[in-house]
Amino acid sequence: MKTRNKPRLWAAFAAVLTATPCPSMGQTLPSAQAALEYNYSTPIMPGIAAPDRIETHVGTLNFFDGVPDNASVEKLYDSLDFQRAVQAYLLAIPAVSQVANRNAIRELGPVNGTVPIFEQLMDSRSIFLTPNDNTVYSWAWLDLSKGPLVLNVPPKVLGAINDMWFRWVIDLGITGPDKGKGGKYLLLPPGYKGQVPKGYTVVHSPTFNLWIPWRSFLVNGDPKPGVELVKKFTKIYPLSQAAKPPQLKFVDLSGKPFNTVAPADYGFWELLDQVVQEEPSESLDQIRLGFYAAIGIQKGKPFAPDSRMKKILSDAAAVGDATARAIAFKIRDKDAYYYPNSAWQLPFIGGYKFQTQSNVLNLDAYIFYYFMATGVTPAMEEKMVGRGSQYAWAARDANREPLDGGKNYKLHLPPNIPVKDFWSVIVYSNRTRAMLQTDQQFPSVSSQTTGLKVNEDGSVDIYFGPKPPPGKETNWVQTIPGKGWNTILRLYGPLKPWFDKTWRPGEIELQS
């Protein structure tokens, strides 16, 4: 191509661009020209130029040719810090729930050497998020900051490992690699580069702190056989002590007041700072860490907000908690419900990763679950006929009204309740999300309840209210006037009719 022809080609190309619509290159300006003061002026379309004054929910904002004045800047930064703090709160609910649990357990004995266990089951004196009272819990926190640990899992348990950000790592027991026979798991800390010996199920942990919960099951109504297996076979030790593992300290928490629920005030932020400081930044995404950093929680730096920021953070914690409660008790997502026109909700909306779109976090699903519950594993939501467990949650009656502790209700479970193992219905406090505290040690009815009344057709009716209906005492759960409640239907070893919805629990019906 000769140089002298280039101007003609560029001119032709420019003509084509002028004649052809090209929306990707910008907006088309109005053809009617306004009266313009200067020779080189362009009409400004609506919404482009900043106004001199606007009214917003944060107050009146004033601008000089697009620049906010000092008073407006102050309002806007207060608003921005508050918005980021509320979102940080909602995103941090899982981690803060974990660290509150971890800190409580640490008070019972040395790290990596103490295992709390509920030898006579967990009752309503224990303040835990939506636990059950019909299996034996064993609860342990492990710290990998000094190197790998070996975990010997006992037989006949159902459990999992969750990391410090409350993400599923691996199943243990019946749904895990050991298939309920017991096994040795080698837990490797983040960034571990050393040799990995054979003979273990190897677990690469993304965080230094790990939560290890599992459940043992009753044998003919007796928790003792499961407790004995846990105490006999559970071991936690460094690789260097494999030849002679140290003795564990088992602490029986049955019947003892004990709290693991996180606070919903300024203390929430101090717990979040613990997690950020202790765990590698690589273990969490940059967006969530960015929200935490924006409110002053950064790895390697002291968390020291001034009085202004402390006030904002305290307010944001209150609003964050209230927002989580709005999502939990009146969620807007129709996909959150098992059946049309039903109050029964799924605990896992979008699976255990809370994704109703591929690789997209459903924020309300994430907030709902972690605000209400603990323990994440695919075994709690996957369709595994005859294995694992399934859950349905309700906080409203058949008329979609909140459940009132001063009123009487009835729940009908149709015949052939689809379980291989057992089922239970447990009542919880709306305020604490722990078991409702009443005159009953165990606020529940289950297929393991002694003296449970079963109807002639095999169905079961469960009653809720301040006083039991005459003759229905064994099928009744006490509630308290002036207090709300919610309930979880649990199915252990769920069968096909649950998954294909040919069996469906009744709604909770208000009684006259």
Side-chain angles (χ1 to χ4, degrees), residues 42-102:
T42 302
I44 305 299
M45 297 184 70
I48 302 300
D52 294 329
R53 175 189 178 97
I54 56 173
E55 300 295 334
T56 74
H57 77 283
V58 299
T60 302
L61 303 176
N62 297 300
F63 301 83
F64 173 71
D65 198 36
V67 178
D69 65 14
N70 289 339
S72 298
V73 167
E74 187 174 338
K75 291 177 185 177
L76 289 164
Y77 274 128
D78 283 350
S79 175
L80 180 62
D81 288 340
F82 176 75
Q83 292 175 53
R84 286 176 171 168
V86 171
Q87 294 306 314
Y89 184 99
L90 296 172
L91 291 169
I93 286 172
V96 174
S97 179
Q98 284 285 67
V99 76
N101 177 353
R102 190 275 308 271

Side-chain angles (χ1 to χ4, degrees), residues 114 396 500:
T114 305
R396 294 176 179 268
D500 63 21

Side-chain angles (χ1 to χ4, degrees), residues 135-136 138 153-159 172-175 178-183 214-219 223 225-230 233:
T135 61
V136 177
S138 301
V153 175
K156 299 183 181 180
V157 300
L158 178 67
L172 305 173
I174 294 168
T175 57
D178 63 278
K179 306 297 183 184
K181 297 178 181 179
W214 60 58
R215 290 168 287 189
S216 306
F217 298 96
L218 306 185
V219 178
V227 171
E228 290 178 344
L229 288 175
V230 169
F233 290 101

